[in-house]
Amino acid sequence: MAEMSPPQSARFLVLFDFDETMVSESSDDAVVRAAPGQALPAWLRAAFRPGRYNEHMQRILAYLWEQGVTEESIRREVERIPATPGLPALLDFLRSHRRDFECVVLSDANTYFIEAWLQRAGARQLFLEVITNPASFDADGRLALLPFHSHGCPRCPENMCKQLVLQEYLLRRLRERGGDFQRVFYIGDGANDVCPSLVLREQDTALARRDFPMHRMLVDMRPGAFKASVVPWASGEDVVDCLRKFVEDR
């Protein structure tokens, strides 16, 4: 039986990064296994420029298409990516508390990869929105990837500032709901998850994957530079333990 759509009036907002937060590796890296020899040529690897990963991934997808890699092959590699440890338990917890939590994916991956993986995992209906770079197959069978937006943030890749996206989402939901979320929880792992976490309030929580860049960067911040609580996690069960405390604290 299909899941019901998420409620519109949950007390708490939970934001998920995707790569290495929901899934155990970068989805971009996983798709390379669909290439001939399961690897990219040296000239293509060398074309990467810092801050321009979306642009680099566009070249990779174009290369896969030129090599005759099909949508079926790409989707198969995406669907095979293992979940991070304990993620199924976390998703089950959120399903059982749907009235409490509004769930959103906020990722610098792309719509095709995330939607394919969530559908395979039977978890798409849990998320009110998937906010990421647009990607879809065109009439020629090529996966066309676009940047999410342009911005002026010096901390973020040129195609997406997650802080700007999160601010816009919170303002829009404030208008739609007629009030703020009691608490916001941001679950991430990477350096680009720090920027959106800077808008979190004192009552909010940044759940940073233990010993990953986000965790190290938040720990190294000077005192007072970060308002929200920082909770490290190694598995989905750690996140469940954190969320359960606030559900029970009515």
Side-chain angles (χ1 to χ4, degrees):
M1 185 174 66
E3 294 184 47
M4 295 174 59
S5 296
Q8 296 285 322
S9 57
R11 294 187 295 156
F12 308 128
L13 174 64
V14 181
L15 298 136
F16 284 81
D17 176 47
F18 184 68
D19 291 334
E20 298 188 277
T21 294
M22 298 189 73
V23 294
S24 61
E25 65 177 318
S26 164
S27 53
D28 290 342
D29 292 343
V31 167
V32 169
R33 290 194 287 270
Q38 298 189 340
L40 299 176
W43 65 263
L44 183 51
R45 296 195 304 272
F48 172 70
R49 295 293 178 269
R52 297 189 171 187
Y53 196 81
N54 184 269
E55 180 182 297
H56 183 60
M57 195 62 198
Q58 292 176 34
R59 290 192 290 267
I60 291 173
L61 294 174
Y63 171 79
L64 294 178
W65 176 74
E66 291 165 359
Q67 297 301 308
V69 176
T70 64
E71 177 179 356
E72 180 183 7
S73 297
I74 289 175
R75 189 179 186 96
R76 181 169 59 246
E77 294 302 334
V78 171
E79 291 177 344
R80 285 176 173 172
I81 307 173
T84 47
L87 181 77
L90 172 54
L91 297 179
D92 285 345
F93 173 82
L94 292 170
R95 285 190 189 97
S96 66
H97 295 85
R98 294 172 68 84
R99 293 184 180 277
D100 291 307
F101 296 101
E102 177 171 306
C103 300
V104 172
V105 177
L106 174 54
S107 167
D108 196 15
N110 67 72
T111 51
Y112 185 83
F113 291 176
I114 298 174
E115 295 279 0
W117 193 89
L118 290 177
Q119 289 167 14
R120 178 68 173 178
R124 178 59 185 90
Q125 288 296 101
L126 183 59
F127 295 91
L128 186 63
E129 293 189 26
V130 172
I131 306 173
T132 186
N133 302 294
S136 60
F137 279 88
D138 62 22
D140 294 325
R142 175 175 173 168
L143 183 53
L145 171 66
L146 296 172
F148 184 82
H149 63 185
S150 60
H151 63 87
C153 177
R155 291 183 294 264
C156 293
E158 66 174 15
N159 62 290
M160 176 181 272
C161 171
K162 287 187 174 183
Q163 180 180 133
L164 181 59
V165 177
L166 178 54
Q167 287 174 323
E168 291 174 347
Y169 184 83
L170 291 171
L171 286 172
R172 173 163 59 87
R173 292 300 287 135
L174 173 63
R175 292 192 300 267
E176 292 168 348
R177 290 161 44 90
D180 276 328
F181 292 98
Q182 289 182 24
R183 297 181 188 274
V184 176
F185 302 88
Y186 188 102
I187 309 170
D189 70 279
N192 70 339
D193 293 312
V194 173
C195 191
S197 299
L198 294 173
V199 305
L200 299 179
R201 306 158 300 178
E202 290 184 1
Q203 67 264 40
D204 300 330
T205 304
L207 290 124
R209 192 171 185 183
R210 186 182 298 276
D211 296 329
F212 277 65
M214 179 189 184
H215 181 217
R216 292 194 294 267
M217 292 171 71
L218 292 179
V219 168
D220 289 343
M221 278 192 177
R222 60 180 174 79
F226 194 73
K227 296 179 183 177
S229 300
V230 178
V231 175
W233 63 274
S235 73
E237 286 90 349
D238 297 332
V239 180
V240 171
D241 289 343
C242 174
L243 298 180
R244 181 179 285 119
K245 295 174 183 177
F246 294 102
V247 171
E248 295 173 350
D249 182 18
R250 293 180 183 275

